[in-house]
Amino acid sequence: MIPPRAFLRKCRSCGRREKLADSTGASLSGYKLLIGTLVMRRLLRKHVFAAGEQNIGILLPPSVGASVVNTAVAVDGRVAVNLNYTMSDEVNNYCIRQAGIKHVLTSKRFLEKNPVTLDAEMVLLEDLREKVGLFDKLAAAFLALCVPMFLLERWLGLTSKSPDDLFTIIFTSGSTGDPKGVMLTYGNVMSNILAVDAVFHISQDDVLLGVLPFFHSFGFTGTFWLVLCLEPKGVYHFNPLDARTIGKLCEQHGVTITMATPTFLRTYLKRCTPEQFSKLDTVITGAEKLPPDLAVEFEKKFGVFPTEGYGTTELSPVASVNVPPHRAGSIERAAAKPGTIGRPLNGVSFRITDPDSGAVLGVGEQGILWIKGPNVMRGYLNQPEKTAEVIRDGWYNTGDMAMVDEEGFITITGRLSRFSKIGGEMVPHIKIENAIAEILEENGSASAEESDNASPLVAVSAVTDDKKGERIVVLHLPLSVPVDEIIRRLGESGLPNLWLPGRDSFYEVANIPLLGTGKLDLKGVKQLASGCAAGIPEKL
């Protein structure tokens, strides 16, 4: 079963029960969602799509409207490409060229707040709605409510689709270079949905909060298509950091499940009340490491201990997850272990290899994490060489360093690109960052996670060095602790001497480069570090 067919059937079975809602007050039952989807498909075919046009750009925040646009594109057998509206026009136009996009579906209301200039024809939903006629509505209602499902699927052309056919293209954030178009098939996404359902046992009583954008694979699969293909109701809001509105939505709709990043949880912890999250029983985090103190504080206030999962865009996106005991069902062994990313999903295999020799490592040994399973992408759009670099014999190289314990729980220890090879030893940048951050916090400096400033105080990178191969570089905002004091305390912290940056390796900068998602822009950090080390002034 491919997602669009599962969606059609779920709308029928859902009937008059509310299936989607959002913060604008929009709401659709299963029947109305199906009718709206077929009306939108009819309008797009009549007024927008050209013959043979396959990849369709979508520029909309998570909402009921964005849902209908995506489902209309899907049931028409075309490929939705949700563009990242936090990126620059230059980056989005690069993505448009790569995907050969001719039309971008958006709305006037969205463009008023987020003006863009894109190299494609912009199609406004408001203009399309004005073209809806009575016959369009009647035809869609007849198809949605009266035509047998097997005939509807055949008429839409969905029965000819294979699980190996392309479903969506999701562009990566470009943290280490130009964005790459990740090609996900129907089978990739559906296998991920079914595997997540198998461990979390999602039911009709569940209400899932959707604040992750659809241009993010976690949002596209986890908070959007999972809702459409399974039983829960979905509730959407366009701003994941708007805690006040999100708290009201959770209370109004009785949200039981949320998928979010730790950064979002910190905001909810500050601004939401226990009453607003009274029905919440499952919180799944990803994209960033879940700090233990945050999980404890969240449970203390809301009675729910967040569990951490792991995935990448290339993995559709989920590869492993910790499962709360009350969701684990018949699983006898421990279903969750704080500090880890859990165990692999059903059907997903993993191995850890030595970064130099490629030898498979055992329990407790740190190496590169590889993933194999039905969730592994088809490949990168127009980049067969880069695809071959990361997928070998069906195994995907995540680029993350990890280790596994005796119970099969995986712990991420860092990103390979965030390690330096110094004196033959792998030196993790993030451990140095964390050690410096702890020193600053002990001195009363607020970390980025705890302050209203989204930028971190410190970012560690490396530059080439004639003697040691590489040299650690510390980029930092103005510090409350002298650099010499930081170096002294780093030496007392237990870090190996080989890891310690020198006095001349600290560079004060105006800003730490970040992506629109809030993650470190590793490419930008690397370039800034190289410029500082070479004596090139920072561009303000």
Side-chain angles (χ1 to χ4, degrees):
M1 181 70 69
I2 63 174
R5 295 180 68 181
F7 157 72
L8 294 175
R9 293 165 183 257
K10 197 56 62 180
C11 283
R12 277 269 180 94
S13 65
C14 184
R16 292 183 174 84
R17 179 167 61 86
E18 189 177 44
K19 185 63 175 171
L20 298 181
D22 66 26
S23 55
T24 69
S27 172
L28 292 176
S29 66
Y31 285 154
K32 289 183 177 180
L33 174 58
L34 183 51
I35 293 170
T37 294
L38 295 175
V39 168
M40 179 61 69
R41 172 189 175 272
R42 185 179 179 88
L43 294 174
L44 291 172
R45 288 177 67 88
K46 186 189 300 185
H47 302 290
V48 179
F49 296 157
E53 185 176 358
Q54 191 63 13
N55 298 339
I56 311 300
I58 301 175
L59 191 70
L60 292 167
S63 61
V64 169
S67 300
V68 172
V69 170
N70 270 272
T71 54
V73 170
V75 300
D76 200 39
R78 301 178 198 263
V79 177
V81 185
N82 284 273
L83 298 172
N84 186 341
Y85 42 80
T86 70
M87 294 293 193
S88 67
D89 289 352
E90 180 184 2
V91 171
N92 273 321
N93 283 325
Y94 169 85
C95 298
I96 285 170
R97 290 192 299 273
Q98 288 294 306
I101 293 170
K102 295 182 175 65
H103 293 98
V104 174
L105 309 179
T106 185
S107 74
K108 182 178 180 181
R109 182 178 179 183
F110 177 77
L111 292 181
E112 286 174 350
K113 296 182 178 179
N114 304 271
V116 297
T117 303
L118 300 181
D119 299 334
E121 183 179 343
M122 309 290 279
V123 179
L124 302 181
L125 300 184
E126 292 87 350
D127 293 343
L128 281 179
R129 291 194 189 102
E130 292 179 359
K131 297 176 181 179
V132 178
L134 178 60
F135 184 75
D136 295 318
K137 296 178 182 178
L138 292 176
F142 175 75
L143 291 169
L145 305 178
C146 302
V147 174
M149 183 55 66
F150 75 94
L151 288 179
L152 177 59
E153 292 174 334
R154 183 177 296 275
W155 182 76
L156 290 169
L158 296 177
T159 54
S160 64
K161 295 292 184 180
S162 160
D164 294 329
D165 288 339
L166 186 61
F167 183 31
T168 188
I169 299 170
I170 296 180
F171 282 90
T172 63
S173 60
S175 63
T176 57
D178 289 329
K180 296 183 287 291
V182 176
M183 298 186 292
L184 300 181
T185 66
Y186 292 114
N188 288 152
V189 174
M190 197 66 198
S191 70
N192 217 228
I193 290 170
L194 296 177
V196 169
D197 187 36
V199 293
F200 282 97
H201 305 96
I202 300 168
S203 74
Q204 181 177 311
D205 296 328
D206 283 313
V207 179
L208 197 149
L209 176 67
V211 294
L212 301 173
F214 296 166
F215 62 71
H216 194 294
S217 59
F218 199 8
F220 185 82
T221 298
T223 64
F224 179 50
W225 279 101
L226 181 146
V227 169
L228 299 180
C229 295
L230 301 179
E231 295 292 343
K233 168 183 163 182
V235 179
Y236 298 100
H237 184 56
F238 61 88
N239 183 357
L241 293 174
D242 182 7
R244 289 189 174 88
T245 300
I246 287 169
K248 293 176 182 177
L249 278 177
C250 289
E251 186 172 23
Q252 177 186 349
H253 294 277
V255 167
T256 61
I257 302 174
T258 184
M259 300 180 186
T261 68
T263 297
F264 301 161
L265 294 191
R266 284 200 183 275
T267 305
Y268 307 158
L269 189 61
K270 289 180 181 179
R271 305 190 184 279
C272 296
T273 67
E275 292 74 24
Q276 291 173 327
F277 283 177
S278 62
K279 296 290 183 66
L280 190 66
D281 70 26
T282 303
V283 178
I284 308 164
T285 69
E288 311 163 22
K289 186 171 181 58
L290 176 63
D293 65 315
L294 172 59
V296 171
E297 289 179 43
F298 198 90
E299 182 184 33
K300 183 177 180 180
K301 182 170 183 177
F302 300 115
V304 182
F305 191 88
T307 57
E308 188 172 2
Y310 171 82
T312 68
T313 305
E314 292 86 346
L315 297 175
S316 308
V318 186
S320 67
V321 70
N322 283 286
V323 184
H326 68 280
R327 289 274 179 180
S330 61
I331 298 177
E332 295 180 0
R333 296 179 301 166
K337 181 176 285 189
T340 76
I341 57 169
R343 295 196 187 95
L345 294 176
N346 295 349
V348 175
S349 303
F350 77 94
R351 69 184 183 191
I352 294 173
T353 66
D354 184 274
D356 294 320
S357 69
V360 177
L361 302 177
V363 171
E365 296 183 285
Q366 177 180 263
I368 299 174
L369 176 65
W370 296 73
I371 297 291
K372 187 175 187 179
N375 58 327
V376 175
M377 67 170 178
R378 176 196 285 185
Y380 293 124
L381 179 68
N382 304 328
Q383 297 185 0
E385 299 84 4
K386 288 194 175 181
T387 301
E389 289 176 7
V390 298
I391 299 180
R392 300 175 189 172
D393 299 323
W395 288 94
Y396 169 68
N397 181 346
T398 66
D400 284 316
M401 300 290 284
M403 62 176 64
V404 63
D405 65 19
E406 295 83 357
E407 295 180 284
F409 286 93
I410 304 168
T411 299
I412 298 295
T413 57
R415 184 134 185 94
L416 184 59
S417 61
R418 302 218 65 206
F419 279 76
S420 292
K421 199 69 172 287
I422 301 177
E425 184 177 335
M426 298 294 285
V427 179
H429 299 173
I430 194 167
K431 287 194 175 181
I432 302 172
E433 278 177 9
N434 290 341
I436 295 174
E438 287 179 9
I439 293 171
L440 296 175
E441 288 176 29
E442 288 173 4
N443 196 63
S445 298
S447 69
E449 292 176 329
E450 295 172 344
S451 69
D452 293 329
N453 179 10
S455 179
L457 295 174
V458 173
V460 171
S461 187
V463 296
T464 55
D465 184 86
D466 294 335
K467 295 181 179 179
K468 297 187 289 185
E470 284 188 288
R471 172 170 67 90
I472 293 295
V473 167
V474 180
L475 304 179
H476 62 85
L477 301 183
L479 300 174
S480 59
V481 179
V483 169
D484 290 334
E485 174 70 7
I486 291 175
I487 294 173
R488 183 186 67 79
R489 291 171 66 176
L490 283 176
E492 296 173 350
S493 69
L495 294 182
N497 289 333
L498 192 65
W499 296 15
L500 303 182
R503 177 68 180 79
D504 60 349
S505 294
F506 283 74
Y507 298 95
E508 183 175 321
V509 296
N511 294 288
I512 302 292
L514 298 177
L515 296 169
T517 56
K519 292 183 179 180
L520 275 180
D521 179 354
L522 299 182
K523 179 182 178 183
V525 168
K526 183 78 173 178
Q527 290 175 338
L528 182 55
S530 298
C532 290
I536 301 174
E538 179 186 4
K539 293 182 180 180
L540 300 177

